[in-house]
mmCIF file with all atom_site columns, all heavy atoms in Angstrom:
data_model
loop_
_atom_site.group_PDB
_atom_site.id
_atom_site.type_symbol
_atom_site.label_atom_id
_atom_site.label_alt_id
_atom_site.label_comp_id
_atom_site.label_asym_id
_atom_site.label_entity_id
_atom_site.label_seq_id
_atom_site.pdbx_PDB_ins_code
_atom_site.Cartn_x
_atom_site.Cartn_y
_atom_site.Cartn_z
_atom_site.occupancy
_atom_site.B_iso_or_equiv
_atom_site.pdbx_formal_charge
_atom_site.auth_seq_id
_atom_site.auth_comp_id
_atom_site.auth_asym_id
_atom_site.auth_atom_id
_atom_site.pdbx_PDB_model_num
ATOM 1  N N   . LYS A 1 16 ? 103.391 111.404 95.454 1.00 0.00 ? 16 LYS A N   1
ATOM 2  C CA  . LYS A 1 16 ? 104.010 110.470 94.477 1.00 0.00 ? 16 LYS A CA  1
ATOM 3  C C   . LYS A 1 16 ? 104.048 110.975 93.112 1.00 0.00 ? 16 LYS A C   1
ATOM 4  O O   . LYS A 1 16 ? 105.087 110.897 92.436 1.00 0.00 ? 16 LYS A O   1
ATOM 5  C CB  . LYS A 1 16 ? 103.217 109.121 94.546 1.00 0.00 ? 16 LYS A CB  1
ATOM 6  C CG  . LYS A 1 16 ? 103.117 108.472 95.878 1.00 0.00 ? 16 LYS A CG  1
ATOM 7  C CD  . LYS A 1 16 ? 102.339 107.148 95.842 1.00 0.00 ? 16 LYS A CD  1
ATOM 8  C CE  . LYS A 1 16 ? 100.893 107.370 95.395 1.00 0.00 ? 16 LYS A CE  1
ATOM 9  N NZ  . LYS A 1 16 ? 100.148 108.240 96.279 1.00 0.00 ? 16 LYS A NZ  1
ATOM 10 N N   . SER A 1 17 ? 102.939 111.478 92.573 1.00 0.00 ? 17 SER A N   1
ATOM 11 C CA  . SER A 1 17 ? 102.927 112.011 91.180 1.00 0.00 ? 17 SER A CA  1
ATOM 12 C C   . SER A 1 17 ? 103.786 113.211 91.026 1.00 0.00 ? 17 SER A C   1
ATOM 13 O O   . SER A 1 17 ? 104.438 113.345 90.038 1.00 0.00 ? 17 SER A O   1
ATOM 14 C CB  . SER A 1 17 ? 101.510 112.348 90.812 1.00 0.00 ? 17 SER A CB  1
ATOM 15 O OG  . SER A 1 17 ? 100.623 111.222 90.889 1.00 0.00 ? 17 SER A OG  1
ATOM 16 N N   . THR A 1 18 ? 103.800 114.033 92.045 1.00 0.00 ? 18 THR A N   1
ATOM 17 C CA  . THR A 1 18 ? 104.685 115.268 91.992 1.00 0.00 ? 18 THR A CA  1
ATOM 18 C C   . THR A 1 18 ? 106.154 114.832 91.897 1.00 0.00 ? 18 THR A C   1
ATOM 19 O O   . THR A 1 18 ? 106.981 115.403 91.129 1.00 0.00 ? 18 THR A O   1
ATOM 20 C CB  . THR A 1 18 ? 104.456 116.132 93.204 1.00 0.00 ? 18 THR A CB  1
ATOM 21 O OG1 . THR A 1 18 ? 103.101 116.557 93.270 1.00 0.00 ? 18 THR A OG1 1
ATOM 22 C CG2 . THR A 1 18 ? 105.341 117.360 93.199 1.00 0.00 ? 18 THR A CG2 1
ATOM 23 N N   . LEU A 1 19 ? 106.568 113.813 92.708 1.00 0.00 ? 19 LEU A N   1
ATOM 24 C CA  . LEU A 1 19 ? 107.937 113.320 92.669 1.00 0.00 ? 19 LEU A CA  1
ATOM 25 C C   . LEU A 1 19 ? 108.266 112.705 91.332 1.00 0.00 ? 19 LEU A C   1
ATOM 26 O O   . LEU A 1 19 ? 109.305 112.870 90.744 1.00 0.00 ? 19 LEU A O   1
ATOM 27 C CB  . LEU A 1 19 ? 108.138 112.363 93.834 1.00 0.00 ? 19 LEU A CB  1
ATOM 28 C CG  . LEU A 1 19 ? 109.573 111.695 93.833 1.00 0.00 ? 19 LEU A CG  1
ATOM 29 C CD1 . LEU A 1 19 ? 110.637 112.782 93.946 1.00 0.00 ? 19 LEU A CD1 1
ATOM 30 C CD2 . LEU A 1 19 ? 109.664 110.681 95.034 1.00 0.00 ? 19 LEU A CD2 1
ATOM 31 N N   . ALA A 1 20 ? 107.282 111.847 90.807 1.00 0.00 ? 20 ALA A N   1
ATOM 32 C CA  . ALA A 1 20 ? 107.511 111.231 89.504 1.00 0.00 ? 20 ALA A CA  1
ATOM 33 C C   . ALA A 1 20 ? 107.788 112.277 88.411 1.00 0.00 ? 20 ALA A C   1
ATOM 34 O O   . ALA A 1 20 ? 108.689 112.064 87.563 1.00 0.00 ? 20 ALA A O   1
ATOM 35 C CB  . ALA A 1 20 ? 106.329 110.330 89.208 1.00 0.00 ? 20 ALA A CB  1
ATOM 36 N N   . ARG A 1 21 ? 106.949 113.332 88.442 1.00 0.00 ? 21 ARG A N   1
ATOM 37 C CA  . ARG A 1 21 ? 107.132 114.300 87.403 1.00 0.00 ? 21 ARG A CA  1
ATOM 38 C C   . ARG A 1 21 ? 108.433 115.109 87.588 1.00 0.00 ? 21 ARG A C   1
ATOM 39 O O   . ARG A 1 21 ? 109.163 115.384 86.611 1.00 0.00 ? 21 ARG A O   1
ATOM 40 C CB  . ARG A 1 21 ? 105.961 115.332 87.414 1.00 0.00 ? 21 ARG A CB  1
ATOM 41 C CG  . ARG A 1 21 ? 104.617 114.719 86.918 1.00 0.00 ? 21 ARG A CG  1
ATOM 42 C CD  . ARG A 1 21 ? 103.609 115.803 86.753 1.00 0.00 ? 21 ARG A CD  1
ATOM 43 N NE  . ARG A 1 21 ? 103.246 116.466 87.913 1.00 0.00 ? 21 ARG A NE  1
ATOM 44 C CZ  . ARG A 1 21 ? 102.213 116.036 88.781 1.00 0.00 ? 21 ARG A CZ  1
ATOM 45 N NH1 . ARG A 1 21 ? 101.483 114.986 88.390 1.00 0.00 ? 21 ARG A NH1 1
ATOM 46 N NH2 . ARG A 1 21 ? 101.932 116.729 89.891 1.00 0.00 ? 21 ARG A NH2 1
ATOM 47 N N   . ALA A 1 22 ? 108.776 115.410 88.860 1.00 0.00 ? 22 ALA A N   1
ATOM 48 C CA  . ALA A 1 22 ? 110.023 116.097 89.150 1.00 0.00 ? 22 ALA A CA  1
ATOM 49 C C   . ALA A 1 22 ? 111.211 115.228 88.721 1.00 0.00 ? 22 ALA A C   1
ATOM 50 O O   . ALA A 1 22 ? 112.212 115.788 88.226 1.00 0.00 ? 22 ALA A O   1
ATOM 51 C CB  . ALA A 1 22 ? 110.130 116.479 90.576 1.00 0.00 ? 22 ALA A CB  1
ATOM 52 N N   . LEU A 1 23 ? 111.140 113.870 88.940 1.00 0.00 ? 23 LEU A N   1
ATOM 53 C CA  . LEU A 1 23 ? 112.193 113.034 88.606 1.00 0.00 ? 23 LEU A CA  1
ATOM 54 C C   . LEU A 1 23 ? 112.392 113.011 87.106 1.00 0.00 ? 23 LEU A C   1
ATOM 55 O O   . LEU A 1 23 ? 113.557 113.020 86.518 1.00 0.00 ? 23 LEU A O   1
ATOM 56 C CB  . LEU A 1 23 ? 111.971 111.630 89.136 1.00 0.00 ? 23 LEU A CB  1
ATOM 57 C CG  . LEU A 1 23 ? 113.007 110.570 88.826 1.00 0.00 ? 23 LEU A CG  1
ATOM 58 C CD1 . LEU A 1 23 ? 114.391 110.983 89.360 1.00 0.00 ? 23 LEU A CD1 1
ATOM 59 C CD2 . LEU A 1 23 ? 112.617 109.249 89.445 1.00 0.00 ? 23 LEU A CD2 1
ATOM 60 N N   . ALA A 1 24 ? 111.260 112.951 86.332 1.00 0.00 ? 24 ALA A N   1
ATOM 61 C CA  . ALA A 1 24 ? 111.339 112.907 84.913 1.00 0.00 ? 24 ALA A CA  1
ATOM 62 C C   . ALA A 1 24 ? 112.064 114.237 84.358 1.00 0.00 ? 24 ALA A C   1
ATOM 63 O O   . ALA A 1 24 ? 112.894 114.136 83.431 1.00 0.00 ? 24 ALA A O   1
ATOM 64 C CB  . ALA A 1 24 ? 109.935 112.785 84.287 1.00 0.00 ? 24 ALA A CB  1
ATOM 65 N N   . ALA A 1 25 ? 111.731 115.299 84.991 1.00 0.00 ? 25 ALA A N   1
ATOM 66 C CA  . ALA A 1 25 ? 112.351 116.630 84.577 1.00 0.00 ? 25 ALA A CA  1
ATOM 67 C C   . ALA A 1 25 ? 113.904 116.613 84.967 1.00 0.00 ? 25 ALA A C   1
ATOM 68 O O   . ALA A 1 25 ? 114.673 117.078 84.165 1.00 0.00 ? 25 ALA A O   1
ATOM 69 C CB  . ALA A 1 25 ? 111.708 117.803 85.257 1.00 0.00 ? 25 ALA A CB  1
ATOM 70 N N   . ALA A 1 26 ? 114.144 116.009 86.127 1.00 0.00 ? 26 ALA A N   1
ATOM 71 C CA  . ALA A 1 26 ? 115.554 116.046 86.581 1.00 0.00 ? 26 ALA A CA  1
ATOM 72 C C   . ALA A 1 26 ? 116.417 115.068 85.732 1.00 0.00 ? 26 ALA A C   1
ATOM 73 O O   . ALA A 1 26 ? 117.641 115.253 85.597 1.00 0.00 ? 26 ALA A O   1
ATOM 74 C CB  . ALA A 1 26 ? 115.644 115.612 88.006 1.00 0.00 ? 26 ALA A CB  1
ATOM 75 N N   . LEU A 1 27 ? 115.835 114.088 85.116 1.00 0.00 ? 27 LEU A N   1
ATOM 76 C CA  . LEU A 1 27 ? 116.499 113.042 84.265 1.00 0.00 ? 27 LEU A CA  1
ATOM 77 C C   . LEU A 1 27 ? 116.733 113.469 82.772 1.00 0.00 ? 27 LEU A C   1
ATOM 78 O O   . LEU A 1 27 ? 117.426 112.866 82.069 1.00 0.00 ? 27 LEU A O   1
ATOM 79 C CB  . LEU A 1 27 ? 115.826 111.767 84.291 1.00 0.00 ? 27 LEU A CB  1
ATOM 80 C CG  . LEU A 1 27 ? 116.049 110.884 85.509 1.00 0.00 ? 27 LEU A CG  1
ATOM 81 C CD1 . LEU A 1 27 ? 115.184 109.689 85.625 1.00 0.00 ? 27 LEU A CD1 1
ATOM 82 C CD2 . LEU A 1 27 ? 117.549 110.441 85.650 1.00 0.00 ? 27 LEU A CD2 1
ATOM 83 N N   . ALA A 1 28 ? 116.040 114.581 82.361 1.00 0.00 ? 28 ALA A N   1
ATOM 84 C CA  . ALA A 1 28 ? 116.180 115.056 80.997 1.00 0.00 ? 28 ALA A CA  1
ATOM 85 C C   . ALA A 1 28 ? 117.573 115.201 80.614 1.00 0.00 ? 28 ALA A C   1
ATOM 86 O O   . ALA A 1 28 ? 118.423 115.674 81.456 1.00 0.00 ? 28 ALA A O   1
ATOM 87 C CB  . ALA A 1 28 ? 115.402 116.371 80.809 1.00 0.00 ? 28 ALA A CB  1
ATOM 88 N N   . PRO A 1 29 ? 117.992 114.813 79.408 1.00 0.00 ? 29 PRO A N   1
ATOM 89 C CA  . PRO A 1 29 ? 117.214 114.399 78.277 1.00 0.00 ? 29 PRO A CA  1
ATOM 90 C C   . PRO A 1 29 ? 116.912 112.887 78.200 1.00 0.00 ? 29 PRO A C   1
ATOM 91 O O   . PRO A 1 29 ? 116.484 112.454 77.150 1.00 0.00 ? 29 PRO A O   1
ATOM 92 C CB  . PRO A 1 29 ? 118.039 114.843 77.091 1.00 0.00 ? 29 PRO A CB  1
ATOM 93 C CG  . PRO A 1 29 ? 119.437 114.632 77.565 1.00 0.00 ? 29 PRO A CG  1
ATOM 94 C CD  . PRO A 1 29 ? 119.433 115.013 79.014 1.00 0.00 ? 29 PRO A CD  1
#
Side-chain angles (χ1 to χ4, degrees):
K16 302 180 298 298
S17 298
T18 301
L19 177 59
R21 290 191 296 269
L23 178 57
L27 281 169

